[in-house]
Amino acid sequence: MILHPVRPLFLSALLLALAACAPLRSALNTEVRPVSPAMDEAALAAGELRIAASALQSGDLDVAQSLYRELSESHPGQTAVWMGLGNTYFLQANYEAARTAYERAAQRSPDLPEAQLALARVDVRVRAFDEARARYQRILAQAPDDPVALAGLGVVYDLTGQHDLAQQTYRKGLAVHKQDEVLRTNLGLSLALSGKPREAVNMLLGYDGVASGLPQRRDNLALAYGLLGREDAAENILLTYQPRGQVQDNLAFYRYLREHIK
C-alpha cells in the first residue's frame, strides 16, 4: 500500500483493504478505552448505566443508543453517559453525533484524556487529519508514552503519507509498551505497505508468534507474506478462518498490491 513515488496509492489500497478484503477489515487500529468516573447514586442504584454499557459491549447498538439518550436527559451531568453515547454513535458511523457527545463529555471533564482521544478518533474517521494530529500531540505533551495516542498519531502519519514518521511513532510506543498489540499490528501493516514486507513479517510474528494476538495482526501477517511473495504462508494463515474462494480472492489482491508497491 505505501509507494515511494506514488504516495496516494497507500490510502487507496488501505481503503480497498478495509472495504473489500474481509481479512483486512481493521488494518490500522486505535484502541477505545472505557471511562468509569463516579456516577450519581440514582443512576448507579437503578443500574441504568450498567445496562447501557452492557448493550454497547454486546453490540446491540440501537438499545445502547436509546438507553444512553435517556440517561443523557435524566443525568446530563455524568461524563460516562456522554462517553457511552459517543461510543455508540461512533460504532454506528454517525461521526458528527459522536463528536457532539464527546464534546459534552470533555466539557464536563476537561482533564479526561479519553474524551480527547475519542475526539481525535472522530477526526481520523472524517479525514480531519490536521485536527487529529494536533489533538494527539496535545495528549502526548501531557503523557508522552500514552500507547493509544501514539497509535493514533501513527495512523494519522500513515494516512497522510508520512510513513517514516508513522513507524518511528509506533516504535517509540513499543519501546515502552513492548507487548502492545495495537502498536505492533499498526507497525507491521505500515512496514508491509511501505515496501518492507520481510521486516513486517518479523514484527508481526514477534516473540510470541501470532496465534495469541489481535485478529488484525493475523490478517496483516497474511498480507505481509503475500507482499513478500510467500503465497503459501499467506494461504495457510487465511485458510484457518476463511473459505477457499475468499482466500483466493485475497491472494489475488496481494498480487495486485505486489505489482504496485515498489
Side-chain angles (χ1 to χ4, degrees):
M1 265 187 221
I2 299 175
L3 267 190
H4 298 297
V6 189
R7 285 183 174 175
L9 182 61
F10 172 75
L11 183 55
S12 299
L14 175 59
L15 293 175
L16 279 172
L18 289 170
C21 259
L24 307 178
R25 60 194 175 279
S26 301
L28 288 178
N29 309 283
T30 55
E31 180 183 353
V32 178
R33 297 196 299 203
V35 59
S36 55
M39 299 172 287
D40 76 22
E41 291 303 316
L44 184 59
E48 294 168 336
L49 190 56
R50 186 175 297 119
I51 294 170
S54 178
L56 177 60
Q57 185 174 9
S58 66
D60 197 340
L61 300 182
D62 290 338
V63 170
Q65 182 195 114
S66 177
L67 292 171
Y68 278 122
R69 287 184 65 179
E70 290 178 6
L71 283 166
S72 71
E73 295 174 1
S74 59
H75 303 288
Q78 297 302 313
T79 304
V81 170
W82 294 108
M83 287 298 298
L85 183 60
N87 289 340
T88 303
Y89 282 134
F90 185 87
L91 292 173
Q92 293 173 321
N94 189 347
Y95 299 124
E96 289 312 312
R99 184 192 299 281
T100 298
Y102 291 141
E103 286 174 345
R104 297 288 291 272
Q107 289 168 5
R108 281 151 183 76
S109 301
D111 297 328
L112 183 70
E114 282 79 1
Q116 295 304 319
L117 287 166
L119 285 165
R121 197 165 61 242
V122 171
D123 288 335
V124 171
R125 288 302 179 97
V126 300
R127 299 170 61 84
F129 296 128
D130 289 344
E131 291 84 347
R133 181 175 58 249
R135 286 190 195 277
Y136 284 129
Q137 288 173 337
R138 285 196 295 271
I139 294 167
L140 290 167
Q142 300 297 318
D145 296 327
D146 187 298
V148 180
L150 288 166
L153 182 59
V155 169
V156 172
Y157 285 140
D158 262 331
L159 292 176
T160 53
Q162 301 174 83
H163 313 305
D164 288 343
L165 275 176
Q167 290 162 26
Q168 291 171 22
T169 302
Y170 300 138
R171 291 186 192 280
K172 178 181 177 182
L174 284 169
V176 179
H177 307 281
K178 300 184 186 304
Q179 298 184 32
D180 189 283
E181 285 294 302
V182 174
L183 288 165
R184 181 179 295 277
T185 298
N186 286 7
L187 176 56
L189 181 65
S190 184
L191 290 166
L193 299 177
S194 60
K196 305 171 187 174
R198 189 176 301 280
E199 190 175 349
V201 167
N202 292 336
M203 174 58 57
L204 292 164
L205 283 174
Y207 54 84
D208 58 350
V210 76
S212 61
L214 289 172
Q216 291 83 9
R217 184 170 156 198
R218 171 199 62 195
D219 299 339
N220 294 345
L221 180 61
L223 170 66
Y225 274 130
L227 294 178
L228 191 59
R230 288 285 313 279
E231 290 194 10
D232 56 336
E235 185 175 24
N236 286 339
I237 294 171
L238 296 175
L239 282 172
T240 63
Y241 61 100
Q242 288 184 9
R244 187 168 293 277
Q246 189 175 349
V247 169
Q248 295 306 311
D249 288 344
N250 282 306
L251 292 177
F253 180 68
Y254 300 160
R255 288 184 211 113
Y256 169 82
L257 290 180
R258 209 159 58 231
E259 292 173 2
H260 290 81
I261 296 175
K262 304 299 180 184

